[in-house]
Amino acid sequence: MDDFKRSNRANWDERADLHALDRTGFYAIDRFLAGEDVLYPIESREIDDVDGLRIAHFQCHIGIDTLCLARRGAAVTGLDFSPRAIDHARDLAARAGLAASFVEGEVYDAPERIGTGFDMVFTSWGTITWLDDIHSWAEAVAGVLEPGGRLYFADTHPGIGPLEEEKGTLQPRYDWRSLRERPEHFESATTYTGDATQLTATRTYEWMRGVSDVVGALLRAGMRLDWLHEHELLPYRHFPMMVDAGQRMFALPPGIPRLPLALSLQATRTV
């Protein structure tokens, strides 16, 4: 493990402990344990019926979405590089009385770690920005799917990744594409859920990339793009100016030019 990944994993181990407590309700754990389906509206609307499907959930974190898919009737395996996240995911599965498998490991090693023959790979919200090799990610997606299996992907739109809010406007701050050996680095004293607890592992590294990088990697890995959607909502305040849009989603405020904030797509393994 290189220094970038080591730093990121230390940060995500700490975040997993805080997120499992869910003091701010960001992850809606209490609502989930009470029986509510807490997938966000975008993926809930787009994934179609998953009952009876065998699903691999890449970068599953503490397992809330994994278990929502299980509650919908899927046989789900969650994969994450944070051992603390995997511990919490297994605990949530036991508390919810739901069957799901959780495996610690790198996404790139998914075929070896969780096997092959899956009907679907599911991945959403804050995932590929943490990966230094988009082509190896796409190969892992194709590698675990059976021919005809599909990927569902939803995440922050790459077009807003280079922007930061400055004095009430959005300004470009970062390059739109990062070299593998030169990611952007960030210092965050707290996590994104609103929990004020101070982190000790504050430095993280992320890789910027364009839509063409994501789609191109999937095509090169033997996937067919079925559809691609852009959305003006996100399930978190990517910029401080964003306003509550209901259903645990956020939007840019009035007076700010409309921008695509999220991107979702479906791709199918062709061979």
Side-chain angles (χ1 to χ4, degrees), residues 23-40:
R23 295 187 183 103
T24 65
F26 181 93
Y27 279 99
I29 288 177
D30 287 346
R31 291 160 58 181
F32 166 75
L33 291 174
E36 186 176 338
D37 187 325
V38 296
L39 287 182
Y40 290 107

Side-chain angles (χ1 to χ4, degrees), residues 15-259:
R15 291 193 195 198
D17 290 341
L18 294 176
H19 296 172
L21 295 173
D22 201 27
R23 295 187 183 103
T24 65
F26 181 93
Y27 279 99
I29 288 177
D30 287 346
R31 291 160 58 181
F32 166 75
L33 291 174
E36 186 176 338
D37 187 325
V38 296
L39 287 182
Y40 290 107
I42 291 175
E43 62 267 34
S44 182
R45 182 174 61 249
E46 292 181 334
I47 61 171
D48 296 326
D49 184 14
V50 299
D51 186 27
L53 297 186
R54 188 168 175 242
I55 299 178
H57 183 187
F58 282 14
Q59 295 169 274
C60 67
H61 192 38
I62 61 172
I64 287 289
D65 288 356
T66 321
L67 296 170
C68 284
L69 295 170
R71 186 173 277 161
R72 291 181 176 215
V76 196
T77 299
L79 177 69
D80 199 275
F81 81 145
S82 163
R84 297 297 300 147
I86 292 298
D87 288 344
H88 291 301
R90 290 170 177 160
D91 178 65
L92 276 173
R95 292 165 65 191
L98 291 167
S101 298
F102 292 99
V103 178
E104 179 191 338
E106 291 278 357
V107 164
Y108 309 135
D109 302 325
E112 293 75 31
R113 299 293 296 152
I114 64 173
T116 60
F118 286 89
D119 302 300
M120 182 181 185
V121 170
F122 177 94
T123 180
S124 68
W125 310 125
T127 55
I128 59 171
T129 190
W130 302 100
L131 302 177
D132 62 354
D133 188 343
I134 195 68
H135 290 286
S136 292
W137 167 79
E139 290 167 2
V141 169
V144 303
L145 288 171
E146 66 175 2
R150 60 189 168 106
L151 163 71
Y152 177 79
F153 170 90
D155 213 328
T156 306
H157 197 292
I160 66 167
L163 305 179
E164 280 201 356
E165 181 179 337
E166 297 179 5
K167 299 180 180 179
T169 64
L170 300 180
Q171 299 292 330
R173 174 68 68 84
Y174 311 104
D175 291 339
W176 72 289
R177 178 182 283 155
S178 302
L179 296 175
R180 187 174 186 180
E181 65 275 12
R182 290 182 60 188
E184 300 292 345
H185 71 270
F186 300 90
E187 293 284 345
S188 298
T190 58
T191 189
Y192 51 80
T193 64
D195 191 314
T197 303
Q198 297 289 297
L199 300 171
T200 59
T202 59
R203 171 161 287 206
T204 58
Y205 297 89
E206 299 182 41
W207 286 264
M208 304 292 179
R209 51 180 53 94
V211 175
S212 61
D213 296 319
V214 179
V215 174
L218 291 170
L219 295 177
R220 195 173 87 169
M223 305 287 289
R224 179 191 71 233
L225 182 64
D226 300 323
W227 50 257
L228 183 150
H229 299 155
E230 295 171 295
H231 312 270
E232 296 180 14
L233 298 169
L234 273 175
Y236 36 81
R237 279 192 169 92
H238 189 79
F239 305 112
M241 67 168 63
M242 292 176 70
V243 297
D244 191 335
Q247 295 185 289
R248 300 164 61 221
M249 303 296 284
F250 298 88
L252 291 173
I256 298 295
R258 295 167 64 190
L259 293 171

